[in-house]
Amino acid sequence: MEYNLLKTSIDAGVALVTISRPEALNALNSEFFTEFNDFLNGVEKNDMIKVLVITGDGKSFVAGADISELVNMNYEKACCFSKLGQNTFSRLENLKIPVIAAVNGYALGGGCELAMACDFRIVSRNAKFGQPEVHLGLIPGYSGTQRFSRLAGLGNALYAMLTGEMISAEEALHMGLAQKLVEPENLMDEVMTIAKKIAANGSQAIRKAKEIIRKGYDKNIKEGNELETEAFSKLFDYPSTKEGMRAFLEKRKPNW
Ligand code: CO8
């Protein structure tokens, strides 16, 4: 499929997808969801891809769902569009490989929700997060009401979604919404360095770590520990695990 709204590339096991609709600050419309789901189908089938990075073209990460589409919706259409967004973003959360959001500017509404569905967020100093839906008479519809509090706490989620205020990159870092803050001109270099560092690790270990951290998050510690033991032990079935440990003992780099 040819993409109108996505630019894609792969380098050293890292796939980069840039949402590119800068004239509308990369607002998410139906066409985006069709293209993005097709792109994810390809990522899921491609074992060469170890890490996925998502960013936005121009001065915005994503400034939300496309308000010009939302304005014409009724109950049924809103349900469909909300489910489509929730399901698409859940795919990112459940993707076997790590997903990094490189947040280069506005991450508002659906854009904040997209960033929160990624495994972590590296943000430019000029990034601005927010869930401004209440200014439009709406609430978040792509799992923002659920993910925000899990990432940044109940009080911060309520404050953000009741006031609709923008959140600076520094505040996002402080509240746990962002994991690292970098200068705008260094953002992509920094993110690609981190992504390649992850991609150079044992790929089964990376996948298991993501799977078990995410699966265990909604469970109690006893159930989580059982998941961990199962996943930890399963790794011993893979030759690459032994290679990682042997390489350490032989004082060399692993040859995965
Ligand atoms: N949708 C559609 N168009 C947009 C959006 C958007 N979310 N954001 C910006 N644009 C467009 C503008 O209309 C403008 O287009 P044009 O040049 O044709 O007039 C262009 O992008 C540039 O925007 P601005 O001129 O406004 O740029 P500024 O730098 O002055 O302002 C802002 C930047 C502050 C980001 C401003 O554009 C803004 O407030 N945008 C809207 C942010 C927002 O409210 N986002 C939340 C949207 S609702 C949502 O995401 C709900 C998600 C769940 C949906 C569930 C489905 C049912």
Side-chain angles (χ1 to χ4, degrees):
M1 177 179 192
E2 292 238 328
Y3 299 141
N4 273 328
L5 305 177
L6 303 179
K7 293 179 190 164
T8 66
S9 60
I10 303 180
D11 177 31
V14 178
L16 170 66
V17 58
T18 305
I19 302 167
S20 185
R21 196 189 168 208
E23 68 285 2
L25 305 185
N26 305 325
L28 307 178
N29 57 12
S30 312
E31 191 182 6
F32 161 80
F33 283 106
T34 304
E35 292 188 5
F36 196 65
N37 274 297
D38 182 80
F39 169 73
L40 291 180
N41 292 342
V43 170
E44 281 171 349
K45 285 186 206 134
N46 188 341
D47 282 341
M48 303 300 285
I49 301 176
K50 312 280 186 219
V51 179
L52 172 61
V53 174
I54 303 177
T55 194
D57 212 354
K59 69 173 182 178
S60 188
F61 178 71
V62 166
D66 189 329
I67 299 167
S68 66
E69 273 193 8
L70 294 182
V71 72
N72 294 316
M73 286 184 185
N74 57 14
Y75 173 86
E76 282 78 19
K77 284 215 167 117
C79 269
C80 280
F81 205 48
S82 168
K83 288 265 172 247
L84 175 64
Q86 288 180 352
N87 292 340
T88 305
F89 293 177
S90 288
R91 287 187 76 183
L92 287 177
E93 206 168 63
N94 295 318
L95 217 57
K96 288 189 169 30
I97 57 169
V99 183
I100 306 173
V103 181
N104 49 309
Y106 295 114
L108 302 176
C112 186
E113 293 171 295
L114 169 61
M116 290 192 296
C118 297
D119 293 315
F120 56 84
R121 289 141 292 280
I122 309 297
V123 309
S124 136
R125 191 170 289 284
N126 61 11
K128 291 222 182 319
F129 288 81
Q131 296 286 171
E133 285 88 344
V134 283
H135 296 157
L136 305 167
L138 288 171
I139 63 169
Y142 296 153
S143 311
T145 58
Q146 306 307 304
R147 284 203 182 96
F148 201 118
S149 55
R150 284 168 169 79
L151 284 173
L154 195 57
N156 285 326
L158 284 160
Y159 186 89
M161 276 170 248
L162 296 177
T163 64
E165 274 179 17
M166 288 214 202
I167 300 163
S168 69
E170 283 85 359
E171 287 174 302
L173 187 69
H174 185 65
M175 64 172 75
L177 210 51
Q179 279 55 61
K180 202 165 186 185
L181 195 159
V182 298
E183 295 308 320
E185 62 276 18
N186 298 335
L187 178 68
M188 290 319 292
D189 281 351
E190 189 86 27
V191 169
M192 289 317 248
T193 301
I194 294 166
K196 285 176 187 170
K197 195 186 281 181
I198 294 172
N201 291 326
S203 59
Q204 296 300 341
I206 292 165
R207 288 165 177 237
K208 284 282 178 227
K210 169 168 176 171
E211 183 192 336
I212 299 312
I213 292 167
R214 286 218 173 265
K215 271 194 189 155
Y217 192 71
D218 289 327
K219 301 201 181 300
N220 65 41
I221 186 104
K222 187 167 177 288
E223 290 170 317
N225 279 341
E226 280 163 16
L227 288 176
E228 184 187 82
T229 297
E230 177 57 27
F232 176 81
S233 312
K234 187 87 190 123
L235 285 172
F236 287 80
D237 285 347
Y238 299 108
S240 58
T241 306
K242 296 284 165 61
E243 168 57 13
M245 290 183 277
R246 275 196 201 106
F248 172 81
L249 295 172
E250 292 165 14
K251 302 190 187 308
R252 59 176 174 81
K253 286 203 162 165
N255 181 13
W256 307 115

